[in-house]
Amino acid sequence: MVELAPVDWGIVSAYLLAMVGLGLYLARLGGDFEDFFLAGRVLTAPILIATLVSSYYGIDVLFGSSQLAFTDGVVSWFAYARPAYLFFLVAAFLVAKRLREEDFKSLPDILGRYYGAGARYAAAAASFAYSVPALSLYGFGIMGSVVLGWPPILSMAVFGGIALLYTVTGGFRAVVITDSIQFLVMCLILALAVPYALELIGGFDRMPELLPPEYFEEMGDLSLGLILVYASTNLVVLIEPAFYQRIFAARSTRAVRNALLIGILLWGAYDWVITVLGMAAKTAVIQGAIDPGVAADQSLMVIMLSVLPAGVLGFFVAGVLATEMSTLDSYCLVAGGNVAYDVYRPLVKPQASDAELIRMTRIGVLGSWGVGFLVALSFDQMLGLWVFLASILISTALVPVLLGLYVPRWRRPRAGLLASTLGLSSVIILNAALVGMGHYSEAEETYVLSIGVLDGFEIWQEHVMLVSVPISLLGFALGLFLDRGKA
Amino acid sequence: MSGWEFFTWWNVGVLALGSLIVFGLFLRQLPTLLSPRSRDPEAERAEEGARTSKGEDQI
């Protein structure tokens, strides 16, 4: 832990109070369900850029990417971060326009309208699971314990609780306004950190001098197969429920496209700055400037705490909190919408008023936060959990959403139902088998199952999607066959 | 200055200036986001179509 100066505490406290104040102020504005869940569909490109960039990048990117840069170098940007930009481009030019041609409100709403209630509920379950903020709350716990010396559960409750408060009271309008402030804080503080970090190690040139040459190899020692496996996890961009919510909330298709194109520039810059900071931390370790025993996933935090002066350090802590709060609020609201709009309304009360839907959304937000809190307390392998939840969403929704969007004559009830339910059930069964029969590899940070009869061939948790997505596709084809001849 | 170093400062500039510009534009449009909504979706769609046909920049 570090001793924060009073000025730093003042900055962090001011930031937290501003978030609470905004939430309470925005709660007074009122409005109908579309106001609460989609901010009245008035988002313009700058607002979309801020909320997209800040929501999609949380502490997992901040510390995960810097960890990879610390251990492997620029491969962190070229092999892990860069493939996502390709999917953002696809989303900008192909997916966004189709999504806005109909009046959708959520990802499960698409499946519900194309294929019926069963597919809607399967997608709602997958979207809710994916949106549970376990990773964000876990990140608050780690951050509070490393920086402030607080017990993790206290940091989770305090920082996660503040994000919960303004999300529940202010809805999506509060989320996008706080996201925009958080976007500025997290981007500026990272940009500001680079000169401080380079000054600590004696300039940029120290890195190529002191780090092994492999640190500057774009693809490192990764095989093509592994690069493709990692890249495939970025498929989630194409069916990301928080992305979809922002696309539905946009004022125009053009605003979405511009936001994603400018967002790619900012995501790329953000990823590269984190990569350089991770490599600078490794250089500082070699120089003896920071503790040689530093854990790779805490290297960014440690170098920042070492170099930033009082005053700036407070902004850094606020920036890390902003990074995670902007992610937690967005996904909690998505999960709340799944409960209210995608389950409660069609299953329990089709004639539910806007006030009832808003109340149910708030209950859903609270529920997802509570589940996330319990999961964060119960699990350690958060990276594995994220891969599992992302593969659930991809396996359930990717095939029926994209085929439904682009091939109207394939919008047959059993095609959507079988694709979503078979994808969902297969990914759960396969992951359960992998965890039950395999082991957790500390080196690879994933569950691994070795097949002895195949000369030690290994199946990783990341490989599960390569089976479950084709199963979903087969289910879709089977459903088309069963529903053949129907209008 | 090496290519890596240039790329780093380029990205620092993009991140700092980009976020300031985006935030400035966000502040200009904040009143729209805060104003009470009294809208007709059909009318807004028609308005949007008219704007697009005129080539108006909607950033």
Side-chain angles (χ1 to χ4, degrees):
Chain A
M1 91 174 252
V2 290
E3 286 293 330
L4 288 183
V7 64
D8 294 319
W9 276 113
I11 292 165
V12 173
S13 304
Y15 164 75
L16 294 174
L17 285 173
M19 295 300 107
V20 173
L22 264 175
L24 295 176
Y25 169 74
L26 293 169
R28 298 161 52 201
L29 292 180
D32 58 17
F33 178 71
E34 199 161 279
D35 262 325
F36 187 79
F37 193 61
L38 296 173
R41 299 191 194 253
V42 297
L43 302 194
T44 53
I47 302 171
L48 285 167
I49 294 166
T51 185
L52 281 166
V53 170
S54 60
S55 296
Y56 196 60
Y57 276 16
I59 284 183
D60 52 329
V61 172
L62 198 60
F63 296 150
S65 296
S66 58
Q67 173 186 358
L68 282 165
F70 183 86
T71 54
D72 297 308
V74 298
V75 69
S76 169
W77 192 85
F78 284 97
Y80 294 89
R82 194 174 51 171
Y85 313 144
L86 177 68
F87 290 103
F88 290 131
L89 273 178
V90 173
F93 285 103
L94 297 178
V95 181
K97 185 172 183 298
R98 285 290 299 117
L99 285 173
R100 288 189 52 84
E101 284 172 2
E102 293 177 61
D103 194 25
F104 297 121
K105 283 190 174 64
S106 67
L107 172 79
D109 198 19
I110 301 171
L111 271 70
R113 292 195 204 180
Y114 288 169
Y115 309 110
R120 177 193 286 271
Y121 299 142
S127 174
F128 183 90
Y130 177 80
S131 303
V132 158
L135 202 61
S136 299
L137 288 165
Y138 186 83
F140 279 137
I142 295 281
M143 190 240 157
S145 101
V146 171
V147 178
L148 307 173
W150 290 7
I153 193 169
L154 179 64
S155 309
M156 287 161 57
V158 171
F159 302 130
I162 288 171
L164 174 69
L165 178 68
Y166 69 68
T167 307
V168 165
T169 53
F172 192 54
R173 193 178 268 123
V175 168
V176 295
I177 291 174
T178 52
D179 277 1
S180 301
I181 298 166
Q182 289 155 349
F183 159 80
L184 181 71
V185 175
M186 63 192 254
C187 290
L188 275 187
I189 195 62
L190 273 185
L192 190 64
V194 173
Y196 282 107
L198 294 184
E199 188 185 348
L200 175 76
I201 62 172
F204 191 94
D205 291 340
R206 297 288 86 75
M207 287 198 280
E209 283 172 17
L210 294 174
L211 294 173
E214 304 86 75
Y215 270 63
F216 288 90
E217 287 176 12
E218 294 178 8
M219 289 301 164
D221 58 357
L222 291 178
S223 66
L224 181 63
L226 210 50
I227 290 170
L228 288 176
V229 165
Y230 285 129
S232 67
T233 57
N234 287 307
L235 278 169
V236 79
V237 167
L238 300 180
I239 44 159
E240 241 282 341
F243 267 22
Y244 274 28
Q245 186 184 22
R246 280 146 184 79
I247 290 171
F248 303 145
R251 186 177 174 186
S252 67
T253 305
R254 189 174 176 175
V256 176
R257 197 187 59 215
N258 289 346
L260 281 168
L261 291 178
I262 297 168
I264 290 170
L265 257 183
L266 290 165
W267 273 309
Y270 189 89
D271 284 322
W272 182 256
V273 164
I274 292 174
T275 300
V276 166
L277 290 172
M279 291 166 63
K282 182 69 179 182
T283 309
V285 165
I286 293 170
Q287 291 172 323
I290 61 175
D291 177 10
V294 62
D297 61 349
Q298 292 175 10
S299 57
L300 178 77
M301 185 86 83
V302 169
I303 192 170
M304 291 298 94
L305 298 178
S306 306
V307 300
L308 296 180
V312 181
L313 190 55
F315 279 108
F316 173 70
V317 175
V320 175
L321 290 173
T323 304
E324 206 50 71
M325 282 183 168
S326 57
T327 303
L328 184 146
D329 58 14
S330 300
Y331 288 97
C332 270
L333 190 62
V334 166
N338 294 145
V339 170
Y341 187 75
D342 298 310
V343 177
Y344 175 77
R345 185 187 57 88
L347 189 66
V348 181
K349 199 167 184 185
Q351 304 304 322
S353 66
D354 280 357
E356 286 172 292
L357 287 177
I358 291 172
R359 193 176 67 245
M360 283 309 298
T361 304
R362 286 178 166 144
I363 291 171
V365 169
L366 287 166
S368 75
W369 192 95
V371 173
F373 194 82
L374 292 175
V375 172
L377 286 178
S378 315
F379 289 89
D380 282 333
Q381 282 122 19
M382 285 291 134
L383 187 60
L385 180 69
W386 186 86
V387 171
F388 172 58
L389 296 176
S391 56
I392 278 189
L393 185 66
I394 293 170
S395 307
T396 307
L398 184 74
V399 168
V401 165
L402 294 187
L403 290 180
L405 281 175
Y406 288 101
V407 192
R409 65 195 165 91
W410 285 354
R411 292 172 193 165
R412 306 288 170 82
R414 276 188 277 195
L417 180 65
L418 287 175
S420 55
T421 52
L422 288 179
L424 178 62
S425 49
S426 64
V427 80
I428 291 173
I429 292 168
L430 289 168
N431 270 285
L434 194 65
V435 171
M437 296 159 64
H439 67 281
Y440 185 77
S441 163
E442 293 289 346
E444 306 296 350
E445 291 192 81
T446 191
Y447 281 98
V448 175
L449 176 64
S450 298
I451 311 283
V453 292
L454 293 176
D455 199 23
F457 177 75
E458 289 184 339
I459 300 174
W460 287 17
Q461 194 183 9
E462 285 82 351
H463 293 143
V464 165
M465 270 190 311
L466 303 179
V467 178
S468 58
V469 172
I471 287 176
S472 172
L473 191 59
L474 280 175
F476 195 91
L478 178 63
L480 279 183
F481 177 75
L482 293 173
D483 278 349
R484 68 190 183 284
K486 291 184 182 173
Chain B
M1 182 186 285
S2 68
W4 294 113
E5 188 174 2
F6 174 79
F7 190 51
T8 299
W9 290 116
W10 163 263
N11 282 312
V12 168
V14 166
L15 200 58
L17 285 178
S19 59
L20 282 170
I21 292 169
V22 167
F23 190 72
L25 291 168
F26 155 77
L27 286 179
R28 277 184 59 192
Q29 292 169 2
L30 191 57
T32 312
L33 196 58
L34 291 175
S35 61
R37 189 169 64 104
S38 56
R39 67 187 201 99
D40 172 358
E42 289 305 318
E44 284 205 355
R45 284 214 175 88
E47 187 191 337
E48 183 178 299
R51 272 201 307 269
T52 308
S53 66
K54 284 181 195 165
E56 186 180 320
D57 193 348
Q58 291 182 28
I59 278 192

